[in-house]
Amino acid sequence: MKRRDFINWVGLGVLAGSLPVAIAACQSEDTASTPTPDSAATPEVDSTPRDDGFATIGTVTELDGQGFLASKTFQGEQVIVVRNAGDVIALNSLCTHQGCSVDWDGDAEALACPCHGSKFSPDGTVTEGPAASPLGVFEAKIEEDWVLVKVG
Ligand code: FES
């Protein structure tokens, strides 16, 4: 075998050997771009206010799945949405004591402030101080699978 023939033969072998790797790499990229059932089930939220002032904060599926919806930048307000006896309620999530953000405690079915321990019922009423005033309430409603809040 001549030297040139040998180099061509080795080059062809390397090319043939790397072909399955190249195909596998392309397949993994294709698989990564395929939407998963979860991402396909979560529609993109458009929180632009409508003419009636309501804007979408999330879906009913998300609300019932995680127990709450929260945004620190919803129309310039901090908002947390929870269920209150089956109804949907939107609250200002700024604690009325000194302004920390309250969190939803699903086990206690209450809103709890991590700073000084105030607790609020799902309708925003103070159940434990030092906060003395209830959380602010925003209008909220459900349309189809969308949770809408009006902060203005
Ligand atoms: Fe919430 Fe003090 S800021 S209890």
Side-chain angles (χ1 to χ4, degrees):
M1 180 180 285
K2 293 183 179 175
R3 186 172 155 201
R4 173 171 275 176
D5 291 339
F6 177 75
I7 290 172
N8 286 341
W9 181 76
V10 169
L12 188 60
V14 169
L15 181 63
S18 63
L19 195 55
V21 174
I23 291 171
C26 291
Q27 286 176 335
S28 65
E29 277 185 30
D30 290 343
T31 302
S33 65
T34 303
T36 62
D38 285 344
S39 66
T42 305
E44 190 161 323
V45 173
D46 176 5
S47 60
T48 305
R50 306 185 315 193
D51 290 343
D52 63 2
F54 281 94
T56 304
I57 193 167
T59 66
V60 175
T61 304
E62 292 170 321
L63 173 62
D64 291 339
Q66 62 190 17
F68 67 96
L69 296 171
S71 172
K72 292 189 176 184
T73 57
F74 186 79
Q75 313 296 315
E77 299 284 353
Q78 287 199 25
V79 178
I80 188 163
V81 178
V82 297
R83 289 280 194 180
N84 182 29
D87 292 334
V88 64
I89 185 165
L91 302 160
N92 187 326
S93 62
L94 290 177
C95 178
T96 55
H97 178 230
Q98 290 182 358
C100 292
S101 295
V102 299
D103 300 314
W104 174 245
D105 180 346
D107 292 335
E109 294 195 8
L111 296 137
C113 181
C115 292
H116 309 104
S118 288
K119 291 190 171 47
F120 303 86
S121 65
D123 68 357
T125 305
V126 178
T127 57
E128 189 175 322
S133 303
L135 297 173
V137 178
F138 301 118
E139 286 185 66
K141 64 181 178 179
I142 290 173
E143 289 184 2
E144 298 173 3
D145 191 39
W146 301 109
V147 179
L148 303 166
V149 175
K150 183 178 180 180
V151 297

